Amino acid sequence: MDILIIQILNSIFYACILFLIAAGLSLIYGVMRIINLAHGSLYALGAYVTAWAIGTFAAGAPLWVSFLLLPAGAVVVAAVGAAIEPTLLRPLYNRPEEYQLLITFALLLILEDAMHFLFGGTPLTAGAVIDSMGTMPIMNLRYPVYNLLVIAIGIAAAVFLWAFIYRTKFGVILRATSQNMRMASALGLNVKRVYVQAFALGCFMAGLGGAVVVPAQAAVLGMGIEALILAFVVVVIGGLGSLEGALIGALIVSFVRTAGIQFFPEIELAVLYLIAAVVLLVRPTGLSGRA
Amino acid sequence: MQNDASRTGPSMLLILACVIPILVVLVALPKFVDTYQIQLLTYGLIYAIAGLGFNLLLGYTGLLSFGHSAYFGLGAYSAAFMAKYFGVGSMEIYILGGLLITGLVSAAFGYICVRHTRIFFGILTLALSQVLWTLAYKFFWVTGGTDGLRVPFANLTLLGGLIDFKGRDTYQAFTQSYYYYVLFLFCICTVFMWVIVHSPFGKALQAIRDNETRAQFLGVRIRHYRWFAFLLSGSFTGLAGILWVPLNGLVTPDILYWPFSGEIVFMTVLGGFRTFTGPIVGAVVFNYLKVYAVASTAYWQLLLGVVLVVLVLALPTGIVGTLSRLFGKFRKR
Amino acid sequence: MNLLETINLKKYFGETHAVDNVSLTIAEREFVSLVGPNGAGKTTLVNVVSALFRSDSGKILFKGDDITHTSVTERVKAGIARSFQIVNLFDDLTAFDNVTLAIFSRQGKTGNPATLAHLDHEVSAEADAVLAQFNLTSKRKEHARDLAQGERKLLDVALAYALKPKLLFLDEPTSGVSTRDKGQIMDTIASVVRGEGITAVIIEHDMDVVFKYSDRIVVMQQGAILAQGTPDAIRNNDQVAMILLGTSGPDAFTRKD
Ligand SMILES: Nc1ncnc2c1ncn2[C@@H]1O[C@H](COP(=O)(O)OP(=O)(O)OP(=O)(O)O)[C@@H](O)[C@H]1O
Ligand SMILES: [Mg+2]
């Protein structure tokens, strides 16, 4: 029984991270119709930067310093995103879609190696944070308080993003642009700026995912790719470009994964890909997608 | 080249005038360079076959697959399974059996994937290839897991047993014979693909790529044709995988993993995906680039990424496209 | 005998009743013009009959067979072809290849990956003949994207024509073409269509053209058929004159000359 609760908590924890990544991917697609293949690597970058910042500046310092440094990854990744969009993506908007995919693929290659270069091959952790926050009892077992915090951050991010998109002026502009880019620019909206902002926001989400996961899981090479593919599965299941979809997809993927690791570890990933493939076949727009 | 071809109808004489000298050089090459270089070129030719297959989808049908490692890997594993579990050593049996299996799987995967186009097609191909990768990775008692399966060339026979490599110090002999074997198949594949893209079917694929709605209104069954293109594409790539096995001597799940799909995409774009010869040139060049970049820097992916950025932003027609434009200018002057 | 019959055909786009209860019959070998103000639903009607869109309700009969639920390719094979209001070509292929493709498709050869297209002399000859009929011979080797607007329009028609259809829909084949060339294009189309015994439905805004070439004129407004009849009957229909020109009186159509 307590194992079950722990498993459920773990799934939700995992779903929160996945939601952050997938929502960013989905947001970028929704507004700009670009699939960013480097999205997972941006998530990894967020993890590395936060782990590095905490490891460098917060060693021996009180806990609140670490917390102050936690968002560093998200901020850096957002800045990287804001630099990438105008330089690499903008020249390609009126070229065939293949080129956009190719350039983000190039970015993926570059980022993966750049992280190797900057942070070395050994995993970076910020485990001190999770240790110093301690654990809390759940029946007869103990569960890290930090993980609960991440769950709270995930939920807060979801609420915040939802409010941002559906309740603010910027959200209206985003949605208008995603409906019809030409119309939006005809109405006098600055589409260029919207694109930079949307891309940076999407990247910020990925970076945030990495930043909050790193106290619980070390930043390692290759984590970006795994995240990218899982985020794909999430958005395919939930529906590309849909925020609710990202949430539903993230929950489904992480619960299936937890169950998979328990009951069919060999084919756990294969099962996820198959679910994605089946969803694409029977409901091409995803479970909560609109046409 | 494809552009010129569709402009004037390919002129056989011109093509032969270009192809024959290249063939002569390729055939004579082992006399002049060392075994290692021959080996590298063999790899290049094998990737070229994969690239040709891949480009039938990307360049001619307008479908970007991120999962072609699946068919390369399937070909490779089929051959490796035949070697390990059935004691088969004949290259021809590898080819027949491997093509059968990759053909069947690409038919099935294609049936699923061509229900979508654009990014969804890409994601589906990627997801399906990842399924195969996890299976190869996790079912280690059959596939050897990350250790992979060994296929030593010493047990290999070519041409129905006519050539074998038993005994000592046969490595050089193997490299040479295998080079010619691959070169021969490469030529066949190239001719075969050339005919396909210049056939009515090939024209129909290009029509689908350009304007799928209009193609439909000419009575072209687009999904059907995309599926058939997928099947052909997967089979070519599968053949490349089969040929790769004895040369590499070892099959690991890495060749099923997505970065390898990325490499296939990369070499095709490098050469130029809107040209017939682009993937061939791209594959050979890429192979050298990769080998020497890996040797000279630990960060070769970064290098590849930068090259790809330059290609996409500045040279979207790839090596062949750029060269033929330069030549075109040159000729006009 | 009726070649095409639509029964209570409907296609709505939300609030817009683009095609509203249209029952129309087209007889074999007729040359019918479909006219009406912008947004009347002419293109949508053709879209529904050619299966680009599914109808919301109603039936479509072709040669007496119910084809309401058939696909685009099935209707093409049955003998319905169309051109497009907004030119719809294979831009990266040459004019010649655009046409050969239609011929290959008609002959069921597009599934063949093992022969060289340019060695099929029969098809090449036919393609050249079609290009000649549409005065495009000199543009044979040009890529479709490099042609002038008028030539693209003609090539679009030529593609549909090369399918040798029984029923040919032409959606504004002369729009964007200079007035000088208009008459020539219409002459070409009319002679080709009549010569081959093709039934044609043509959407056209130029009433001079419409009166000159049509056997029958169908006037649409707001998704419905407002009137139909011979050119003479339509010419003398005040209500139609109102709709099409915003003026009334018996000589509304001749006023401008
Ligand atoms: N795909 C679509 N989605 C939504 N509305 C559409 C669509 N196609 C057409 N409409 C609407 O249906 C109505 C009929 O349009 P249609 O194009 O059939 O008119 P038309 O008679 O061909 O006009 P024109 O002479 O300008 O070509 C218009 O109000 C148009 O806005
Ligand atoms: Mg219209």
Side-chain angles (χ1 to χ4, degrees):
Chain A
M1 184 60 202
D2 15 347
I3 295 278
L4 186 68
I5 292 179
I6 299 269
Q7 295 284 24
I8 290 174
L9 281 174
N10 275 339
S11 303
I12 296 176
F13 168 82
Y14 203 64
C16 287
I17 306 290
L18 263 182
F19 168 76
L20 286 172
I21 306 169
L25 186 71
S26 205
L27 178 83
I28 291 172
Y29 178 82
V31 177
M32 312 166 63
R33 303 286 136 172
I34 283 185
I35 288 287
N36 180 12
L37 294 173
H39 201 71
S41 311
L42 291 169
Y43 155 79
L45 183 64
Y48 268 113
V49 169
T50 292
W52 173 82
I54 291 179
T56 314
F57 302 113
L63 188 61
W64 61 266
V65 179
S66 300
F67 270 100
L68 222 54
L69 290 171
L70 202 63
V75 173
V76 168
V77 171
V80 169
I84 288 172
E85 197 278 338
T87 50
L88 296 182
L89 298 179
R90 195 171 293 165
L92 302 178
Y93 289 139
N94 33 29
R95 286 228 233 135
E97 195 184 44
E98 289 97 286
Y99 289 109
Q100 294 160 16
L101 285 174
L102 288 170
I103 202 102
T104 59
F105 179 67
L107 211 58
L108 160 78
L109 294 172
I110 294 174
L111 278 174
E112 287 294 310
D113 255 9
M115 283 187 283
H116 188 187
F117 177 73
L118 291 173
F119 303 107
T122 47
L124 278 189
T125 57
V129 176
I130 203 168
D131 294 341
S132 58
M133 283 184 71
T135 56
M136 59 173 283
I138 293 202
M139 315 267 238
N140 299 321
L141 296 166
R142 304 194 67 79
Y143 196 71
V145 177
Y146 180 78
N147 286 20
L148 298 176
L149 180 75
V150 169
I151 293 175
I153 292 178
I155 294 171
V159 172
F160 172 77
L161 200 67
W162 183 85
F164 189 64
I165 288 179
Y166 290 98
R167 290 284 178 271
T168 65
K169 184 153 167 272
F170 180 71
V172 175
I173 294 177
L174 267 192
R175 279 182 293 142
T177 313
S178 80
Q179 299 282 315
N180 191 334
M181 193 263 266
R182 281 213 191 84
M183 187 81 92
S185 72
L187 288 175
L189 296 179
N190 186 343
V191 172
K192 273 187 189 164
R193 202 169 68 203
V194 174
Y195 273 21
V196 182
Q197 288 165 337
F199 194 76
L201 179 61
C203 294
F204 178 86
M205 310 265 304
L208 184 63
V212 297
V213 85
V214 80
Q217 278 171 23
V220 292
L221 292 171
M223 73 186 281
I225 307 308
E226 196 192 321
L228 173 73
I229 289 171
L230 285 175
F232 264 169
V233 176
V234 168
V235 293
V236 162
I237 291 178
L240 251 179
S242 140
L243 202 57
E244 308 89 87
L247 193 60
I248 299 170
L251 284 168
I252 292 178
V253 167
S254 45
F255 274 93
V256 170
R257 243 199 126 179
T258 313
I261 291 170
Q262 198 77 6
F263 301 115
F264 37 90
E266 274 77 30
I267 52 169
E268 154 242 329
L269 276 173
V271 166
L272 280 176
Y273 301 134
L274 281 178
I275 293 178
V278 169
V279 169
L280 256 187
L281 283 183
V282 296
R283 271 200 71 133
T285 53
L287 293 182
S288 76
R290 295 163 295 264
Chain B
M1 240 178 199
Q2 179 245 328
N3 266 345
D4 287 352
S6 60
R7 221 174 254 283
T8 55
S11 143
M12 277 300 183
L13 272 174
L14 195 72
I15 292 173
L16 287 182
C18 295
V19 166
I20 288 176
I22 296 176
L23 260 185
V24 169
V25 170
L26 284 177
V27 169
L29 210 59
K31 299 265 173 296
F32 303 104
V33 298
D34 62 27
T35 313
Y36 179 62
Q37 290 301 329
I38 288 305
Q39 204 185 0
L40 282 189
L41 190 55
T42 314
Y43 272 113
L45 291 176
I46 289 172
Y47 294 144
I49 297 176
L52 278 174
F54 170 79
N55 202 40
L56 183 66
L57 281 183
L58 176 62
Y60 290 92
T61 320
L63 293 171
L64 175 48
S65 158
F66 275 111
H68 256 50
S69 62
Y71 315 103
F72 194 95
L74 263 172
Y77 270 101
S78 310
F81 283 154
M82 280 185 261
K84 182 167 166 92
Y85 297 110
F86 304 104
V88 175
S90 158
M91 196 61 210
E92 287 72 31
I93 294 183
Y94 289 165
I95 291 176
L96 290 179
L99 274 181
L100 184 72
I101 290 171
T102 35
L104 285 176
V105 175
S106 15
F109 281 14
Y111 181 79
I112 297 172
C113 295
V114 298
R115 262 135 226 284
H116 291 276
T117 56
R118 301 157 65 93
I119 182 62
F120 290 103
F121 175 84
I123 296 180
L124 266 177
T125 50
L126 177 66
L128 289 174
S129 77
Q130 288 295 108
V131 170
L132 290 188
W133 172 72
T134 32
L135 294 182
Y137 184 69
K138 295 287 172 74
F139 286 95
F140 51 85
W141 56 92
V142 192
T143 63
T146 41
D147 293 340
L149 296 174
R150 283 195 177 281
V151 184
F153 72 87
N155 300 333
L156 190 77
T157 65
L158 302 180
L159 304 178
L162 226 54
I163 304 177
D164 64 34
F165 308 102
K166 300 263 181 307
R168 274 146 44 88
D169 290 334
T170 50
Y171 184 66
Q172 201 159 359
F174 163 74
T175 311
Q176 279 227 0
S177 320
Y178 202 65
Y179 168 74
Y180 285 115
Y181 195 83
V182 169
L183 181 62
F184 176 71
L185 283 175
F186 163 77
C187 291
I188 294 202
C189 285
T190 308
V191 170
F192 202 48
M193 187 55 88
W194 194 83
V195 171
I196 290 175
V197 303
H198 289 93
S199 70
F201 173 69
K203 297 281 177 200
L205 291 183
Q206 293 164 54
I208 292 172
R209 172 198 71 194
D210 274 10
N211 188 339
E212 107 176 50
T213 311
R214 189 58 196 252
Q216 242 174 330
F217 277 96
L218 292 188
V220 175
R221 293 154 72 199
I222 49 177
R223 193 184 281 176
H224 203 80
Y225 284 31
R226 281 191 178 126
W227 173 79
F228 192 44
F230 195 105
L231 171 60
L232 287 170
S233 173
S235 304
F236 266 76
T237 309
L239 175 63
I242 300 164
L243 291 174
W244 178 84
V245 173
L247 187 63
N248 204 56
L250 173 72
V251 186
T252 63
D254 280 350
I255 52 152
L256 282 165
Y257 200 28
W258 70 269
F260 187 67
S261 298
E263 286 180 13
I264 298 178
V265 177
F266 184 96
M267 45 187 129
T268 307
V269 175
L270 177 69
F273 65 93
R274 278 300 175 90
T275 53
F276 179 77
T277 45
I280 301 174
V281 174
V284 175
V285 172
F286 171 81
N287 187 49
Y288 287 114
L289 192 69
K290 182 177 162 178
V291 169
Y292 289 106
V294 170
S296 60
T297 162
Y299 302 103
W300 69 278
Q301 279 198 36
L302 196 135
L303 186 75
L304 287 187
V306 172
V307 173
L308 191 53
V309 167
V310 172
L311 278 172
V312 169
L313 290 180
L315 304 170
T317 52
I319 297 175
V320 175
T322 308
L323 282 183
S324 66
R325 218 180 37 228
L326 284 180
F327 264 101
K329 269 189 195 151
F330 196 64
R331 251 185 302 180
K332 268 183 203 139
R333 267 184 206 160
Chain C
M1 183 198 145
N2 285 335
L3 185 61
L4 180 80
E5 184 171 1
T6 72
I7 304 168
N8 297 335
L9 212 55
K10 261 187 211 167
K11 179 71 192 177
Y12 293 175
F13 296 108
E15 296 290 289
T16 314
H17 296 191
V19 171
D20 204 1
N21 250 328
V22 168
S23 298
L24 177 70
T25 56
I26 309 280
E28 219 159 311
R29 289 170 185 260
E30 239 187 327
F31 195 112
V32 177
S33 287
L34 194 54
V35 300
N38 291 112
K42 306 177 296 284
T43 299
T44 308
L45 179 61
V46 172
N47 285 346
V48 170
V49 174
S50 63
L52 184 63
F53 295 156
R54 289 248 164 273
S55 58
D56 295 341
S57 66
K59 256 192 187 173
I60 307 168
L61 305 181
F62 184 67
K63 294 192 275 186
D65 299 328
D66 187 346
I67 56 161
T68 318
H69 299 290
T70 55
S71 68
V72 171
T73 29
E74 282 168 307
R75 288 188 209 184
V76 172
K77 296 279 180 230
I80 301 179
R82 67 170 295 183
S83 75
F84 290 79
Q85 183 171 353
I86 297 163
V87 179
N88 214 337
L89 294 168
F90 307 112
D91 281 337
D92 284 346
L93 301 184
T94 59
F96 178 76
D97 273 344
N98 269 271
V99 177
T100 46
L101 200 73
I103 300 170
F104 278 129
S105 177
R106 186 191 81 220
Q107 298 184 345
K109 287 179 181 165
T110 40
N112 181 347
T115 58
L116 291 172
H118 63 276
L119 294 185
D120 195 326
H121 298 296
E122 203 181 306
V123 171
S124 299
E126 188 185 334
D128 281 332
V130 171
L131 287 171
Q133 271 177 304
F134 287 88
N135 293 323
L136 289 168
T137 305
S138 61
K139 307 292 173 182
R140 188 176 181 269
K141 289 171 187 169
E142 301 265 329
H143 284 222
R145 72 163 77 263
D146 299 331
L147 299 181
Q149 178 60 23
E151 292 160 351
R152 285 168 60 78
K153 209 76 214 197
L154 271 182
L155 186 56
D156 198 325
V157 176
L159 286 194
Y161 166 73
L163 291 171
K164 294 225 167 106
K166 299 217 168 41
L167 175 59
L168 178 62
F169 288 102
L170 301 177
D171 196 344
E172 305 196 13
T174 65
S175 71
V177 177
S178 72
T179 344
R180 192 171 52 82
D181 296 340
K182 218 171 198 170
Q184 198 199 340
I185 292 177
M186 279 309 299
D187 281 340
T188 308
I189 292 174
S191 74
V192 160
V193 161
R194 295 215 194 265
E196 307 271 338
I198 295 172
T199 310
V201 176
I202 174 164
I203 300 179
E204 181 55 64
H205 281 291
D206 187 332
M207 291 309 288
D208 292 335
V209 168
V210 169
F211 287 135
K212 182 168 173 201
Y213 294 99
S214 320
D215 297 328
R216 184 158 60 102
I217 298 172
V218 176
V219 185
M220 280 185 80
Q221 193 203 10
Q222 294 189 347
I225 294 178
L226 181 78
Q228 49 181 313
T230 59
D232 282 337
I234 295 295
R235 203 194 294 267
N236 298 318
N237 186 328
D238 287 358
Q239 202 191 354
V240 171
M242 279 263 285
I243 302 285
L244 292 180
L245 295 173
T247 48
S248 56
D251 55 359
F253 292 114
T254 47
R255 178 161 295 176
K256 62 183 163 175
D257 45 39

